[in-house]
């Protein structure tokens, strides 16, 4: 009888306990519903408080752990997210928690941990097809990151100093082609709303001078993410939510005319649309503007595009071609922060979807003259980290990179530079800086400038015009040979040879003071881009652009009679040099006659090494002495 009483007591206690537990579960379920409603209404603090209360009563309440993990993910509190996901993974057999843990560890740059959870999730047989691709990318990124950390690239950043950096944020550095100025964006945080403006600093020997605002361009609105033309006379930049805007953010421009920046204007359609456009980068030959946009017709969220820039219309507005999506660069995610190096071949951008270290990584690629993309690769660790890395620009020489970072947290974002790893350096660029004037009056001449790539018969000559001061600046990628011609109606034209095919590390620019000689009897012009086979009078194919220029000059001045003179340096036998110079001059006369110039207007003479224009003791002097001269003998 006693045993029956004991059994009855146990049963009653069990039933009471189960009832209490059921009531407690109902209370917790009700609390969880409250927490979920608070989360849905973005009342995060209330949802966290209630979720924590649930776990104090039942530490194994899996749904509360998952809800708190979701809240902390939204709040970017990744370590707390991992804490609750790690609890939930032992309480809930949902394989998606493994993927979530992989994502969280990857976000923190804990690649080995992330990889183990990604691979565990991969064992699941019911992964949606869309996530299968993402999973494969993340596994590849983890393996890439682990290997990159074990094999870092050279990276020793240097703060540019207090003349540029302040307690405010400085970012988006843009060096000029000659490396003597740096334009950047500064976010000033005063008593009012934060204000983005442009500043420019000048390099004095080895130090930057105090940066000054570009007041003519800066407004009460924000300006940022800028690019400069090679001659630093065109500024394209990003501005948002302006009265004349076409979309949320548009690209604007300002021009430096007579030493003053023009009032900024919207750069117009089809560059700008009702979508987001920003972060322009102008090629050094002014042919293309690269930019990022989330417009329709793209491959992902924000894509890299380019558009042909055909100069300015008569009304002063940019003349655009058709926008072109650079599909080989773009993914389903974001590609932003484009930068085309001054050589117009090496390209840099940021992506959050290509295989990388996490967040936005910096990538490099090459772009051919016809727009084909190749050699796309991640720039490596520690240039890239698990955080967002973007806004990289590189000097024209290709050895120094500029970027912004908050690594010195007391000052917010500062601008840094670093020596670029040799494996990441673009092909170097030098430049021509020329001033054209009338030799007789010394007045500036707005002459036509022609730059011809002699290494490519397919490349179109670049045609520009000197400004009102007779000045022009052009980028010259090394590794090529160029013919540089300057012409203006009523003047003899100017010829200069730039032999850069073998100058792998040339950094010295061409500073030219060009004095055009008016067309008069006795006037002469030396041509340096007519080439012959060694010790021969046979004209080489690369002479064609210069010879055609000469044909056009004589056809446009049809009454002129000229003497074609051949000159050599002093190397070799004087008699042989004299004979060779005569034969070469005759070869030019024959070419001109074959191309429609009347033979009665032409005569030839060779002078060997008897009329040098420079010393024969140096390589450069001998090059200047080897020339073809055109002299006017009647008009």
């Amino acid at each position: 009888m006693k045993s029956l009483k004991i059994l009855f007591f146990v049963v009653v206690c069990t039933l009471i306990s189960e009832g209490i537990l059921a009531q407690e579960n109902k209370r917790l379920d009700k609390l969880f519903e409250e927490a979920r409603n608070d989360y849905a209404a973005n009342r995060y603090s209330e949802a966290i408080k209630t979720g924590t209360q649930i776990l104090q009563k039942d530490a194994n309440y899996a749904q509360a752990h998952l809800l708190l993990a979701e809240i902390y993910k939204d709040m970017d509190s990744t370590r707390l997210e991992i804490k609750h996901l790690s609890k939930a993974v032992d309480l809930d057999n949902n394989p998606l928690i493994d993927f979530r843990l992989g994502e969280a560890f990857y976000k923190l740059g804990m690649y080995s941990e992330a990889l183990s959870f990604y691979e565990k999730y991969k064992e699941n047989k019911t992964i949606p097809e869309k996530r299968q691709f993402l999973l494969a990318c993340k596994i590849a990124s983890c393996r890439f990151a682990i290997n990159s950390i074990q094999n870092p690239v050279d990276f020793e950043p240097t703060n540019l100093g207090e003349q540029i950096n302040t307690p405010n944020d400085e970012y988006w550095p843009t060096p000029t082609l000659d490396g003597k100025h740096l334009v950047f964006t500064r976010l000033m945080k005063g008593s009012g709303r934060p204000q983005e403006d442009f500043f420019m600093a000048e390099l004095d020997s080895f130090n930057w001078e105090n940066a000054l605002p570009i007041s003519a361009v800066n407004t009460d609105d924000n300006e940022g993410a800028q690019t400069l033309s090679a001659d630093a006379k065109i500024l394209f930049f990003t501005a948002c939510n302006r009265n004349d805007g076409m979309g949320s953010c548009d690209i604007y421009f300002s021009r430096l005319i007579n030493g003053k920046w023009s009032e900024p204007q919207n750069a117009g359609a089809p560059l700008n649309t009702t979508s987001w456009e920003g972060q322009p980068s102008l090629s050094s030959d002014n042919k293309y503007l690269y930019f990022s946009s989330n417009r329709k017709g793209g491959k992902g969220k924000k894509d890299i595009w380019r558009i042909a820039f055909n100069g300015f219309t008569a009304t002063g507005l940019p003349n655009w071609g058709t926008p072109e999506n650079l599909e080989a660069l773009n993914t389903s995610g974001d590609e932003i922060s484009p930068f085309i190096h001054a050589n117009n071949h090496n390209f840099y951008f940021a992506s959050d979807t290509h295989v990388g270290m996490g967040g936005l990584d910096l990538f490099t690629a090459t772009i051919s003259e016809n727009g084909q993309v190749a050699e796309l690769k991640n720039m490596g660790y520690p240039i890239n980290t698990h955080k967002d890395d973007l806004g990289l620009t590189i000097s024209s020489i290709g050895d120094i990179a500029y970027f912004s970072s908050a690594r010195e947290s007391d000052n917010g974002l500062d601008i840094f530079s670093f020596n670029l790893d040799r494996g990441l350096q673009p092909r170097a660029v030098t430049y021509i800086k020329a001033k054209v004037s009338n030799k007789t009056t010394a007045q500036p001449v707005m002459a036509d400038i022609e730059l011809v790539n002699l290494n490519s018969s397919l490349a179109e000559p670049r045609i520009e015009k000197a400004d009102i001061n007779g000045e022009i600046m052009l980028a010259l990628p090394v590794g090529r040979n160029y013919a540089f011609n300057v012409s203006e109606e009523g003047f003899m034209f100017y010829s200069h040879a730039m032999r850069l095919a073998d100058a792998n590390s040339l950094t010295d620019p061409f500073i030219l003071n060009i004095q055009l000689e008016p067309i008069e009897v006795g006037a002469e012009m030396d041509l340096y881009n007519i080439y012959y086979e060694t010790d021969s009078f046979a004209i080489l194919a690369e002479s064609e652009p210069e010879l055609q220029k000469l044909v056009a000059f004589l056809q446009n001045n049809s009454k002129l009679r000229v003497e074609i003179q051949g000159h050599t340096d002093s190397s070799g036998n004087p008699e042989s040099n004299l004979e060779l110079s005569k034969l070469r001059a005759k070869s030019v006369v024959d070419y001109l006659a074959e191309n429609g110039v009347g033979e009665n207007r032409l005569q030839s003479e060779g002078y060997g090494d008897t009329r040098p224009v420079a010393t024969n003791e140096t390589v450069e002097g001998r090059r200047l002495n080897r020339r073809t001269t055109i002299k006017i003998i009647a008009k």
Side-chain angles (χ1 to χ4, degrees):
M1 191 71 174
K2 185 177 180 181
S3 62
L4 288 174
K5 287 182 178 180
I6 292 172
L7 178 62
F8 177 75
F9 180 76
V10 171
V11 170
V12 170
C13 287
T14 300
L15 291 173
I16 291 172
S17 176
E18 288 178 350
I20 293 171
L21 185 61
Q23 289 179 348
E24 181 65 17
N25 286 339
K26 285 183 179 180
R27 281 195 293 271
L28 293 181
D29 289 344
K30 185 176 180 181
L31 285 173
F32 178 74
E33 200 60 36
E34 290 177 11
R36 194 161 59 179
N37 290 335
D38 282 335
Y39 170 62
N42 295 323
R43 295 189 292 266
Y44 286 176
S45 58
E46 290 89 340
I48 290 172
K49 182 178 179 181
T50 305
T52 303
Q53 184 181 347
I54 294 170
L55 293 176
Q56 287 172 346
K57 295 179 180 295
D58 182 2
N60 294 325
Y61 199 111
Q63 293 304 308
H65 282 296
L66 289 172
L67 178 62
L68 287 171
E70 196 67 27
I71 294 170
Y72 287 125
K73 178 187 176 185
D74 291 354
M75 294 174 64
D76 205 24
S77 298
T78 309
R79 294 189 182 276
L80 288 172
E81 178 191 357
I82 290 174
K83 172 187 172 182
H84 288 284
L85 287 174
S86 298
K87 293 284 188 181
V89 78
D90 294 328
L91 301 170
D92 193 315
N93 62 359
N94 186 345
L96 188 58
I97 301 174
D98 292 320
F99 181 76
R100 286 282 309 279
L101 276 164
E103 293 283 82
F105 279 114
Y106 180 70
K107 188 175 182 180
L108 289 180
M110 301 173 70
Y111 303 110
S112 296
E113 294 85 347
L115 182 59
S116 66
F117 280 106
Y118 283 139
E119 290 184 330
K120 183 180 176 184
Y121 178 68
K122 188 179 178 181
E123 296 172 2
N124 176 32
K125 303 301 182 185
T126 59
I127 302 174
E129 184 176 346
K130 187 175 182 180
R131 193 175 296 135
Q132 287 178 10
F133 176 75
L134 176 61
L135 179 64
C137 289
K138 289 301 179 68
I139 288 174
S141 289
C142 285
R143 290 173 177 163
F144 168 83
I146 292 168
N147 181 68
S148 295
I149 292 172
Q150 293 171 348
N151 300 277
V153 298
D154 291 338
F155 182 68
E156 295 181 7
T158 301
N159 190 299
L160 291 193
E162 61 183 13
Q163 302 302 322
I164 288 179
N165 294 317
T166 69
N168 292 298
D169 287 344
E170 284 83 21
Y171 45 92
W172 217 273
T174 303
T176 54
L177 179 64
D178 59 10
K180 295 180 179 178
H181 293 85
L182 188 76
V183 177
F184 60 92
T185 303
R186 177 177 288 164
L187 178 63
M188 294 175 291
K189 303 171 185 176
S191 57
R193 65 183 178 89
Q195 171 69 33
E196 281 184 314
D197 278 340
F198 294 130
F199 284 74
M200 178 181 285
E202 185 173 355
L203 186 65
D204 178 18
S205 298
F206 298 102
N207 298 308
W208 292 103
E209 292 188 343
N210 191 36
L212 299 174
I214 306 179
S215 301
V217 180
N218 294 332
T219 66
D220 292 336
D221 294 317
N222 291 325
E223 298 86 20
Q226 71 287 339
T227 184
L228 278 170
S229 60
D231 61 4
K233 293 182 178 179
I234 308 172
L235 176 72
F236 287 103
F237 64 93
T238 309
C240 303
N241 303 314
R242 294 198 174 185
N243 292 333
D244 59 347
M246 301 174 64
S248 58
C249 290
D250 283 356
I251 294 173
Y252 285 70
F253 76 97
S254 176
R255 300 172 69 185
L256 187 65
I257 301 174
N258 296 330
K260 295 182 180 180
W261 287 102
S262 65
E263 182 178 348
Q265 291 180 262
N266 191 300
L271 169 62
N272 292 319
T273 67
T274 55
S275 299
W276 180 95
E277 279 84 28
Q279 304 171 347
S281 181
L282 183 64
S283 62
S284 66
D285 58 6
N286 287 0
K287 283 187 176 180
Y288 290 99
L289 187 76
Y290 296 81
F291 62 100
S292 181
S293 175
N294 62 358
R295 66 179 64 199
K296 292 180 180 179
K299 193 174 179 180
K301 297 175 184 177
K302 290 178 180 175
D303 278 7
I304 303 293
W305 298 71
R306 77 172 185 177
I307 188 170
F309 173 47
N310 302 316
F312 292 95
T313 65
T315 59
L317 294 175
N319 183 9
W320 301 113
T322 301
E324 173 187 0
N325 186 285
L326 297 181
E327 294 186 13
L329 295 176
N330 296 316
T331 66
S332 58
D334 283 329
E335 276 70 44
I336 61 172
S337 183
F339 173 72
I340 183 72
H341 185 257
N343 64 25
N344 298 324
H345 180 69
N346 292 95
F347 190 80
Y348 303 82
F349 68 102
S351 171
D352 64 0
T353 306
H354 285 293
V355 171
M357 306 290 294
L360 285 161
D361 271 18
L362 289 162
F363 292 80
T364 178
T366 59
I367 296 182
S368 66
E369 292 181 2
N370 61 5
Q372 294 298 308
V373 175
E375 301 178 55
L376 193 156
K377 67 177 180 179
N378 188 293
M379 293 188 71
Y381 175 87
I383 294 175
N384 289 318
T385 65
H386 64 280
K387 298 181 179 180
D388 286 344
D389 301 286
L390 68 161
L392 185 83
T393 55
I394 298 173
S395 66
S396 58
I397 297 173
D399 58 344
I400 298 175
Y402 298 90
F403 73 109
S404 57
S405 172
R407 61 190 59 230
E408 297 175 5
S409 57
D410 290 345
N411 280 345
L413 280 171
D414 277 357
I415 296 174
F416 292 77
S417 67
F418 66 95
N419 291 326
L420 203 58
D421 189 279
R422 290 190 65 84
L424 298 172
Q425 288 184 11
R427 187 171 61 210
V429 167
T430 185
Y431 61 91
I432 308 169
K433 192 172 186 179
K435 183 168 185 177
V436 186
S437 62
N438 183 322
K439 185 177 181 180
T440 302
T441 66
Q443 292 298 307
V445 178
M446 295 176 64
D448 291 326
I449 310 295
E450 182 181 54
L451 186 66
V452 182
N453 177 2
L454 297 177
N455 295 102
S456 173
S457 59
L458 300 177
E460 291 290 325
R462 182 177 175 186
I463 309 296
E464 299 288 347
K465 199 171 195 61
D467 66 16
I468 194 170
N469 298 313
E471 296 176 349
I472 193 164
M473 180 184 283
L474 301 174
L476 287 177
V478 301
R480 301 172 182 174
N481 293 327
Y482 299 91
F484 178 72
N485 294 311
V486 181
S487 59
E488 179 65 12
E489 186 176 350
F491 293 88
M492 308 288 279
F493 71 86
Y494 171 88
S495 165
H496 194 86
M498 292 157 184
R499 311 291 293 180
L500 306 183
D502 301 322
N504 296 323
S505 61
L506 180 67
T507 58
D508 292 333
F510 293 88
I511 308 299
L512 305 176
N513 185 17
I514 301 168
Q515 296 178 316
L516 293 184
E517 192 163 359
I519 297 175
E520 298 290 347
V521 174
E524 296 181 357
M525 57 185 177
D526 294 324
L527 306 184
Y528 287 100
N529 293 296
I530 298 176
Y531 305 102
Y532 306 88
E533 292 181 6
T534 304
D535 295 326
S536 169
F537 56 88
I539 296 175
L540 294 173
E542 61 186 302
S543 308
E544 189 72 17
E546 186 95 314
L547 288 169
Q548 283 299 312
K549 186 82 175 175
L550 180 56
V551 169
F553 172 79
L554 292 172
Q555 288 176 340
N556 291 334
N557 298 275
S558 58
K559 294 183 179 180
L560 296 184
R561 290 182 61 240
V562 297
E563 179 181 76
I564 312 298
Q565 301 176 357
H567 300 276
T568 70
D569 61 31
S570 62
S571 302
N573 180 278
E575 290 77 13
S576 298
N577 287 340
L578 181 62
E579 183 61 24
L580 182 62
S581 66
K582 291 181 177 181
L583 291 172
R584 287 180 170 179
K586 182 63 169 60
S587 293
V588 174
V589 167
D590 292 342
Y591 179 95
L592 295 173
E594 290 169 4
N595 282 268
V597 180
E599 289 189 62
N600 63 321
R601 300 174 55 200
L602 306 170
Q603 67 183 51
S604 66
E605 187 57 74
Y607 294 92
D609 57 12
T610 62
R611 295 186 178 183
V613 292
T615 178
N616 279 299
E617 302 303 315
T618 66
V619 172
E620 177 62 14
R622 289 191 292 273
R623 185 191 69 79
L624 291 173
N625 288 331
R626 295 189 301 269
R627 67 199 189 279
T628 301
T629 300
I630 312 301
K631 180 178 181 179
I632 298 176
I633 55 178
K635 60 178 290 192

